[in-house]
């Protein structure tokens, strides 16, 4: 009888999961694994290929001074990102918890450094990155409306805000819908790049190689310029670790996480390099530096009456990029709240939609704040310093686990030469800008430092006055009633 009862309970659980509902008890739910290998690849590729390949070529060329060095930087950025993704496969399969960097740093170094990582992500990296991609979407989306002049800043901001609001609603509504959006727009952005690369190959076949005759003429070799060029290029690769943020929702993570990471990074590196070669077959370095939409200049030269397709495809590409960042970022805040490092309400899950609605809304609102600035290149430099500092700390965590936990279960174990090489490159990217761009990096360090008193007051201080706890509890209850959300359970 007992065996029969257990089988009936198992069947009921499977039926609940088939309906998309994973109920732990009367008051607790958890996120359900719904992301396949293909969706995992589209999450990474869709998050990486956003605005960067259409925005960063100008920034990389400006800092390198030559076509040859710019192409070399693009290739090295791809290699650097692939090595990082390789290191993260060990971390992601050893610690199968959503949150990626935050989870690894928390496990290795404790709550303070993990909180500072979360603070960096929530205050700078994620909302700033979302704003940059949304602004690029807006630039290309309104370009056909203002073909002969610069579009007004207010039009760009409004279009970017509309993009963020729509995708916030999509991500709050349904994980499957968000993944479908990601899949469709990933294919659209790859199609845009295939058009660019195909046209570039035709140009090379015609002998259009003038910009490659003396490729390293005028190269800037000072370390500061090289570091900033890497910042611009690596921004375009930002997102290679995003699947680690949602690993609890990934089916068969031990197999699919490394496969998705490797496939995505190799694919994006090849596509980015070929796209930049294609640009230089048609657009001169001078023209690239003068344009804020290099893909549109390229299309106007080669596509004739069909030139309108390029801003349309780029807009689709960046729209999908915003979706990818919103999806993964909300899960980071969700995990941080679950560990007590962010407001508790951000760890709640909507009882019908099974999505972390409060954290999705939080991510959307913080992204809107950064739309107050339209200087995308300054935003990129601003976000890159603190981002690579935190990622370097995650790689240090890998080395720490090898030292302190040699018997830790590691389905994938990378050769130590890769995390050490990655760490050396990261130190260069962090140290050099402290001297070349002291204002931007200083602001980044200041924001990191502000996280310490926030941690002490909001996290470490447990004996808060009763009225403070009452305000927090009342807010959580209000949010639960308004959004129909309940606490979630950690995946085992």
């Amino acid at each position: 009888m007992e065996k029969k009862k257990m089988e009936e309970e198992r069947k009921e659980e499977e039926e609940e999961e088939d309906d998309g509902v994973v109920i732990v008890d009367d008051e607790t739910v958890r996120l359900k694994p719904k992301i396949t290998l293909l969706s995992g690849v589209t999450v990474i590729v869709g998050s990486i290929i956003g605005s960067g390949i259409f925005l960063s070529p100008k920034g990389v060329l400006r800092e390198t001074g030559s076509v040859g060095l710019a192409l070399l930087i693009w290739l090295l950025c791809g290699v650097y990102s692939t090595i990082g993704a390789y290191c993260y496969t060990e971390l992601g399969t050893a610690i199968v918890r959503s949150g990626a960097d935050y989870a690894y740093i928390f496990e290795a170094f404790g709550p303070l450094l993990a909180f500072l990582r979360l603070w960096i992500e929530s205050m700078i990296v994620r909302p700033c990155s979302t704003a940059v991609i949304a602004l690029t979407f807006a630039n290309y989306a309104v370009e056909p409306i203002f073909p002969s002049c610069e579009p007004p800043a207010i039009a760009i901001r409004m279009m970017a805000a509309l993009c963020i609001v729509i995708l916030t609603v999509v991500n709050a509504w349904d994980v499957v819908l968000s993944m479908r959006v990601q899949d469709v727009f990933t294919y659209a952005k790859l199609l845009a790049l295939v058009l660019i690369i195909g046209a570039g190959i035709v140009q090379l076949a015609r002998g259009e190689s003038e910009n490659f005759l003396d490729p390293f003429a005028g190269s800037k070799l000072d370390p500061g310029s090289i570091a900033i060029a890497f910042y611009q290029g690596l921004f375009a690769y930002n997102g290679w670790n995003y699947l680690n943020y949602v690993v609890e929702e990934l089916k068969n993570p031990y197999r699919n996480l490394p496969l998705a990471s490797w496939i995505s990074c190799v694919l994006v590196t090849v596509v980015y390099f070929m796209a930049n070669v294609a640009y230089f077959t048609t657009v001169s370095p001078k023209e690239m530096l003068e344009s804020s939409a290099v893909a549109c200049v390229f299309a106007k030269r080669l596509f004739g009456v069909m030139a309108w397709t390029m801003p349309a495809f780029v807009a689709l590409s960046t729209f999908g990029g915003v979706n990818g960042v919103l999806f993964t970022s909300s899960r980071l805040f969700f995990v941080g709240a679950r560990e007590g490092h962010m407001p508790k309400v951000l760890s709640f899950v909507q009882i019908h939609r099974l999505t972390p609605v409060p954290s999705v809304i939080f991510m959307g609102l913080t992204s809107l704040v950064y739309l107050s600035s339209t200087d995308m290149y300054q935003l990129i430099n601003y976000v890159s310093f603190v981002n690579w500092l935190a990622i370097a700390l995650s790689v240090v965590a890998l080395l720490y686990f090898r030292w302190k936990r040699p018997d830790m279960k590691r389905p994938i174990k990378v050769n130590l030469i890769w995390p050490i090489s990655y760490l050396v490159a990261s130190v260069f990217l962090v140290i050099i800008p402290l001297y070349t761009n002291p204002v931007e990096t200083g602001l980044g360090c200041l924001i990191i430092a502000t996280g310490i008193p926030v941690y002490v007051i909001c996290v470490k201080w447990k004996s808060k006055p009763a009225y403070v706890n009452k305000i927090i509890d009342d807010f959580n209850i209000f949010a639960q009633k308004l959004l129909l959300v309940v606490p979630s359970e950690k995946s085992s």
Side-chain angles (χ1 to χ4, degrees):
M1 288 290 293
E2 186 172 337
K3 184 177 179 182
K4 184 178 180 181
K5 183 179 179 181
M6 289 175 65
E7 288 178 353
E8 288 175 355
E9 288 175 351
R10 179 178 58 80
K11 288 179 180 179
E12 287 175 1
E13 183 179 341
E14 288 175 352
E15 288 173 0
E16 287 178 337
E17 290 188 354
D18 287 341
D19 290 336
V21 180
V22 183
I23 302 176
V24 179
D25 53 42
D26 291 339
E27 297 182 347
T28 308
V29 299
R30 65 169 178 256
L31 300 177
K32 175 186 174 184
K34 297 181 180 179
I35 304 174
T36 63
L37 173 60
L38 178 60
S39 290
V41 171
T42 60
V43 165
I44 299 174
V45 174
S47 298
I48 294 177
I49 303 178
S51 63
I53 189 58
F54 309 109
L55 177 68
S56 293
K58 174 180 177 179
V60 173
L61 180 63
R62 183 175 61 193
E63 299 300 331
T64 55
S66 69
V67 172
L69 188 55
L71 291 175
L72 182 60
I73 291 292
W74 277 103
L75 192 59
L76 290 176
C77 285
V79 172
Y80 177 78
S81 300
T82 304
I83 294 173
Y86 184 44
C87 295
Y88 266 53
T89 59
E90 175 175 325
L91 289 166
T93 53
I95 305 171
V96 189
R97 286 164 50 195
S98 293
D101 313 323
Y102 169 78
Y104 312 145
I105 294 171
F106 189 100
E107 188 79 15
F109 306 119
L112 175 57
L113 288 181
F115 176 83
L116 291 179
R117 171 54 172 160
L118 186 63
W119 182 252
I120 293 168
E121 287 286 320
S122 61
M123 293 296 104
I124 305 177
V125 176
R126 294 313 181 92
C128 190
S129 297
T130 305
V132 170
I133 302 171
L135 286 168
T136 307
F137 160 80
N139 268 293
Y140 278 90
V142 303
E143 197 272 342
I145 304 174
F146 302 94
S148 58
C149 64
E150 285 291 320
I154 187 64
I156 294 173
R157 285 196 182 98
M158 292 300 293
M159 183 65 75
L162 181 63
C163 168
I164 292 172
V165 170
I166 289 174
L167 289 173
T168 297
V169 172
V170 168
N171 278 271
W173 185 254
D174 187 28
V175 171
V176 174
L177 178 60
S178 177
M179 286 297 93
R180 285 175 181 166
V181 169
Q182 196 66 26
D183 292 350
V184 170
F185 284 94
T186 296
Y187 301 142
K189 65 183 68 178
L190 286 175
L191 179 58
L193 290 170
V194 165
L195 287 175
I196 291 172
I197 293 169
I201 292 173
V202 171
Q203 287 289 86
L204 287 174
R206 291 175 177 173
E208 298 291 341
S209 57
E210 180 182 344
N211 292 327
F212 304 106
L213 296 178
D214 190 7
F216 291 95
S219 295
K220 300 177 183 178
L221 299 177
D222 61 285
S225 294
I226 296 295
I228 299 302
F230 266 104
Y231 275 5
Q232 296 289 330
L234 286 171
F235 176 80
Y237 285 93
N238 196 28
W240 54 260
N241 60 338
Y242 279 12
L243 192 59
N244 290 64
Y245 284 94
V246 294
V247 71
E248 289 180 30
E249 297 172 77
L250 178 65
K251 295 180 178 179
N252 193 4
Y254 297 124
R255 170 183 176 271
N256 289 340
L257 177 62
L259 274 177
S261 298
W262 296 334
I263 292 170
S264 302
C265 286
V266 172
L267 174 64
V268 171
T269 300
V270 172
V271 168
Y272 275 10
F273 183 79
M274 294 300 296
N276 276 277
V277 170
Y279 284 145
F280 285 118
T281 63
T282 304
V283 182
S284 70
K286 183 175 182 295
E287 290 171 327
M288 183 176 288
L289 292 174
E290 292 174 350
S291 173
S292 59
V294 61
C296 288
V297 176
F298 181 87
K300 287 176 181 177
R301 293 279 178 83
L302 299 181
F303 296 168
V305 294
M306 297 301 292
W308 62 269
T309 59
M310 189 52 61
F313 276 125
V314 174
L316 292 174
S317 169
T318 48
F319 191 81
V322 173
N323 182 70
V325 178
L326 280 172
F327 176 75
T328 57
S329 301
S330 62
R331 269 57 177 182
L332 171 64
F333 302 149
F334 167 81
V335 173
R338 200 171 59 184
E339 298 292 347
H341 284 177
M342 295 195 80
K344 185 179 178 181
V345 69
L346 296 184
S347 69
F348 291 177
V349 175
Q350 219 281 337
I351 59 174
H352 300 302
R353 310 312 309 174
L354 289 182
T355 56
V357 170
S359 61
V360 171
I361 293 173
F362 174 79
M363 178 61 193
L365 292 176
T366 52
S367 300
L368 291 172
V369 172
Y370 278 87
L371 294 182
S372 58
S373 172
T374 55
D375 188 344
M376 292 178 286
Y377 297 100
Q378 185 180 30
L379 287 175
I380 290 172
N381 291 339
Y382 184 50
V383 73
S384 295
F385 170 76
V386 292
N387 188 42
W388 299 116
L389 176 63
I391 289 177
L393 188 58
S394 297
V395 178
V396 172
L398 185 152
L399 299 175
Y400 177 83
F401 289 136
R402 289 289 189 92
W403 174 40
K404 289 291 187 180
R405 302 184 191 177
D407 299 326
M408 185 180 188
K409 182 183 176 182
R410 296 178 175 87
I412 294 175
K413 191 173 183 179
V414 305
N415 190 301
L416 283 178
I417 190 173
W418 300 117
I420 291 172
S421 300
Y422 190 87
L423 192 58
V424 170
S426 298
V427 169
F428 167 77
L429 290 174
V430 170
I431 296 299
I432 296 300
L434 286 171
Y435 296 96
T436 57
N437 288 318
V439 176
E440 292 171 358
T441 54
L443 285 173
C445 290
L446 182 62
I447 290 181
I448 295 172
T450 60
I452 297 175
V454 173
Y455 173 79
V456 172
I457 295 171
C458 298
V459 179
K460 198 70 175 175
W461 183 24
K462 301 297 184 184
S463 57
K464 297 180 178 69
Y467 73 90
V468 174
N469 289 326
K470 186 178 184 304
I471 291 172
I472 294 172
D473 290 340
D474 288 345
F475 176 76
N476 288 337
I477 292 171
F478 170 76
Q480 282 190 272
K481 292 178 179 178
L482 178 67
L483 301 174
L484 295 179
V485 293
V486 295
S488 66
E489 182 200 45
K490 293 184 184 180
S491 296
S492 58

